[in-house]
Amino acid sequence: MAGILPPNPNDPRVIRTRQLILDAFVEQLNIMDFNSITIGDITKAATINRATFYAHFPDKYALFEAFLLDAFTNTVLYKVDMEGPLTEKTLQQLIVALCNYHERSHQCFKRYDSVALLLEENIKLHLEKLVIQLISIAAAEDAKSLATAATLLSWSLYGVTYRWNMEGRTESPAMLAERVMPLITSGFHMFSPQVSYSE
């Protein structure tokens, strides 16, 4: 609505209300499919009115995006050195962090299949941004080549960890990272040999 300022994100009451909304949303995801959830379901579970919901989020898709970004940040971004170049150690950290992300997401949503595609799109998008930031530090490629490299690498990391999750997580994330690292690094070296993989 025109003339109404958005809530101050640093206000403790705003932070509490936002968390109430997120918790209510996750609660609903454990009961019904994402597509069936209404704003009314969320506001009722969060014990807030619709105006309060809309002061925080324009719709349930924005809410889901915020939830996934929080989860991605806490599970993946905090595990990786964002200031350094892309190294073999960084790739291993990313694989382990993504395994943890998949596992938590699977445990978090009883109706995982109803959000799997949205999860995939979201993770790939955030991964691409992260990878392009990391490879830009060491590589002197043009923007288009860097974007292509980021897509190849991020989708590979996502695919490997997604399959690991769906096939029952039969090995530890660290073992998975060690096993697939030669495949990832050799393929990526062929595309962009200027990226450093040294420790």
Side-chain angles (χ1 to χ4, degrees), residues 50-98:
R50 292 175 78 87
T52 301
F53 175 90
Y54 288 119
H56 290 267
F57 303 100
D59 54 37
K60 71 177 184 179
Y61 296 96
L63 170 58
F64 191 51
E65 168 71 22
F67 172 78
L68 293 178
L69 180 57
D70 283 355
F72 186 83
T73 300
N74 293 329
T75 310
V76 179
L77 293 187
Y78 285 162
K79 309 294 185 197
V80 177
D81 177 12
M82 300 292 292
E83 303 301 319
L86 186 66
T87 64
E88 203 166 306
K89 182 179 178 183
T90 309
L91 285 171
Q92 288 177 328
Q93 290 170 338
L94 270 175
I95 290 170
V96 170
L98 283 168

Side-chain angles (χ1 to χ4, degrees), residues 89-137:
K89 182 179 178 183
T90 309
L91 285 171
Q92 288 177 328
Q93 290 170 338
L94 270 175
I95 290 170
V96 170
L98 283 168
C99 286
N100 292 335
Y101 184 86
H102 282 297
E103 190 170 11
R104 281 189 184 171
S105 296
H106 215 118
Q107 291 169 350
C108 189
F109 308 127
K110 288 181 183 167
R111 304 297 203 110
Y112 183 78
D113 55 335
S114 78
V115 294
L117 283 176
L118 292 170
L119 270 171
E120 179 177 341
E121 289 174 22
N122 188 276
I123 295 174
K124 285 179 179 176
L125 177 68
H126 291 303
L127 263 181
E128 280 188 44
K129 289 179 184 175
L130 170 62
V131 170
I132 204 161
Q133 179 180 335
L134 293 171
I135 62 178
S136 296
I137 295 169

Side-chain angles (χ1 to χ4, degrees), residues 123-195:
I123 295 174
K124 285 179 179 176
L125 177 68
H126 291 303
L127 263 181
E128 280 188 44
K129 289 179 184 175
L130 170 62
V131 170
I132 204 161
Q133 179 180 335
L134 293 171
I135 62 178
S136 296
I137 295 169
E141 301 285 336
D142 63 279
K144 192 170 183 177
S145 295
L146 286 175
T148 302
T151 300
L152 286 169
L153 186 53
S154 59
W155 286 35
S156 296
L157 293 173
Y158 175 83
V160 163
T161 56
Y162 175 81
R163 177 165 291 197
W164 168 86
N165 184 50
M166 296 309 288
E167 291 180 349
R169 304 183 289 276
T170 56
E171 60 187 324
S172 72
M175 285 176 64
L176 174 70
E178 189 176 327
R179 182 169 59 80
V180 303
M181 191 55 53
L183 299 171
I184 292 174
T185 55
S186 63
F188 199 60
H189 271 305
M190 286 172 17
F191 181 81
S192 185
Q194 295 173 348
V195 175

